[in-house]
Amino acid sequence: MSTTLQYGFYLACSWLWCLGGFFPLILGRDYGWPALAAFTVFNVGGAMAMGFYFKNRSQQQDFENTHKPAIAIFSYITLAYQLFFMAWLGAVIGQVLLLPAVLLIAFVIYHTKKVITYWAQAFYVLSIGLFVGFLGSDWPPVEISAKGYWPHALLPLAIGFIFSPYLDITFHRAFKDSKNPKMSFLIGFGVLFLSLLGFVFFYATSLGNVFFNQAIPAAIIYPVVGFLVLQIGFTVAAHASELSTQRYLKPSLLGSSIAVFSVFCIGLLTMIKDSSIPWVNLPLEETLYKTFLFFYSLVFPLYLLLGKSKPLFLWVLAICTPAYSIGFLIGGEHSYSLTIGVAIIATVVVVKRQAQV
């Protein structure tokens, strides 16, 4: 199999993590089908676009060298996000060994990283098998009716998915090693990743019942859990492999950091299970999950838009943080604050560019 197709599988599996595997549940619950449609279009289109943005490997390498610290931070946050989510899922279904299972899979892939694209192919086939098995069960219908305030979710989704892929270290690996990067990104996201997202949309109601309604239909949910364990294990391995290969961190320090944070997450999520934040009555675990989204929807895009001017970047980040926090964390009738945040960003970017003309 050519490296073009190999890295198509690699991209699909490295990008399907706890954001793509769980965030649609929240979007569907809070905003309905318009948000899910936007999530799909911007997620697939934004990821695919990176493969066409760079004209050649030299341009891609220059970008990677320029933004090396930000790319590393993106991976650190992404790793922490996966570990937190799997600890949360383990606490919800009463399986404390779920996160260790993910780490075991990641450990095996990491130590055989020379064949990581073959692991991606195997995991994709297994994921599709779990999808088929899930379809054979008595799963509840997907509820995607449009809900109020959905327009306010569209622009933050667009900004996040358009810009964040450029800081993903696994995307840069695929662009460098694929024989035909454009085709790898086209097939990887336009076909393979999109099919995995189809599984997510089918199981959204089932997994939502587990997290939001404390209903656990074991026969239905375990194919979904298996799917998430495989995909997130691969993502952890892919990012850890690149961080060590490119010497961002020593392997021993990276491994010990992952282990310590994993233990911390298991302890934390076990301790705060079913807790809520006083005054605003928000579920604490879901709020922590959404907090990670703040980086992908605001911090990383804002860095790419305004990062050359550090003071301006920090000022706009400080101004937009309350708007994004209210819109994402509280939502509902407060979702309009997301639009205010996007309007501030757009105004600053336009004024800045006009000043440079």
Side-chain angles (χ1 to χ4, degrees), residues 2 20 37 48 58-59 76 143-144 150 189 209 211 240 243 266 357:
S2 70
M48 194 189 303
S58 176
Q59 184 188 15
Y76 300 147
E143 173 57 50
I144 56 173
W150 63 262
F189 295 111
N209 285 335
F211 277 90
L243 286 171
I266 291 174
V357 175

Side-chain angles (χ1 to χ4, degrees), residues 91-107:
V92 168
I93 66 174
Q95 296 290 342
V96 70
L97 294 180
L98 210 56
L99 178 52
V102 167
L103 295 179
L104 178 60
I105 290 172
F107 179 84

Side-chain angles (χ1 to χ4, degrees), residues 161-280:
F161 285 124
I162 288 171
F163 290 100
S164 287
Y166 293 88
L167 298 179
D168 191 312
I169 199 170
T170 66
F171 283 35
H172 288 279
R173 168 57 60 195
F175 195 96
K176 286 186 287 189
D177 288 358
S178 172
K179 182 179 180 181
N180 186 338
K182 290 181 173 60
M183 189 58 64
S184 290
F185 277 75
L186 181 64
I187 296 173
F189 295 111
V191 178
L192 302 175
F193 175 75
L194 186 60
S195 66
L196 295 178
L197 268 188
F199 187 11
V200 176
F201 292 153
F202 271 98
Y203 72 59
T205 301
S206 298
L207 192 58
N209 285 335
V210 172
F211 277 90
F212 309 135
N213 302 320
Q214 287 73 52
I216 307 178
I220 295 175
I221 207 62
Y222 280 105
V224 176
V225 173
F227 169 74
L228 290 170
V229 167
L230 289 176
Q231 292 298 327
I232 291 176
F234 184 88
T235 298
V236 170
H239 281 269
S241 297
E242 288 304 310
L243 286 171
S244 62
T245 299
Q246 300 189 38
R247 299 183 180 180
Y248 285 96
L249 276 181
K250 291 182 179 179
S252 58
L253 179 58
L254 179 61
S256 59
S257 299
I258 289 174
V260 169
F261 190 73
S262 297
V263 172
F264 169 77
C265 286
I266 291 174
L268 175 66
L269 271 300
T270 301
M271 183 173 59
I272 67 171
K273 183 181 178 183
D274 299 327
S275 299
S276 60
I277 300 175
W279 305 296
V280 289

Side-chain angles (χ1 to χ4, degrees), residues 142-160:
V142 181
E143 173 57 50
I144 56 173
S145 58
K147 299 182 175 64
Y149 315 110
W150 63 262
H152 298 293
L154 300 188
L155 287 177
L157 286 173
I159 292 173

Side-chain angles (χ1 to χ4, degrees), residues 53-134:
Y53 173 78
F54 297 115
K55 294 184 175 68
N56 50 55
R57 288 181 175 83
S58 176
Q59 184 188 15
Q60 175 273 323
Q61 191 61 60
D62 288 343
F63 180 95
E64 188 175 5
N65 292 337
T66 300
H67 301 286
K68 213 171 181 69
I71 290 172
I73 292 171
F74 183 98
S75 283
Y76 300 147
I77 297 297
T78 299
L79 285 171
Y81 198 10
Q82 312 317 303
L83 302 179
F84 169 84
F85 175 75
M86 291 311 300
W88 182 21
L89 178 57
V92 168
I93 66 174
Q95 296 290 342
V96 70
L97 294 180
L98 210 56
L99 178 52
V102 167
L103 295 179
L104 178 60
I105 290 172
F107 179 84
V108 172
I109 298 174
Y110 175 85
H111 285 282
T112 55
K113 53 180 171 278
K114 289 184 179 180
V115 293
I116 194 169
T117 56
Y118 292 99
W119 280 112
Q121 294 168 51
F123 279 22
Y124 178 83
V125 171
L126 287 171
S127 296
I128 294 299
L130 290 168
F131 185 6
V132 173
F134 177 79

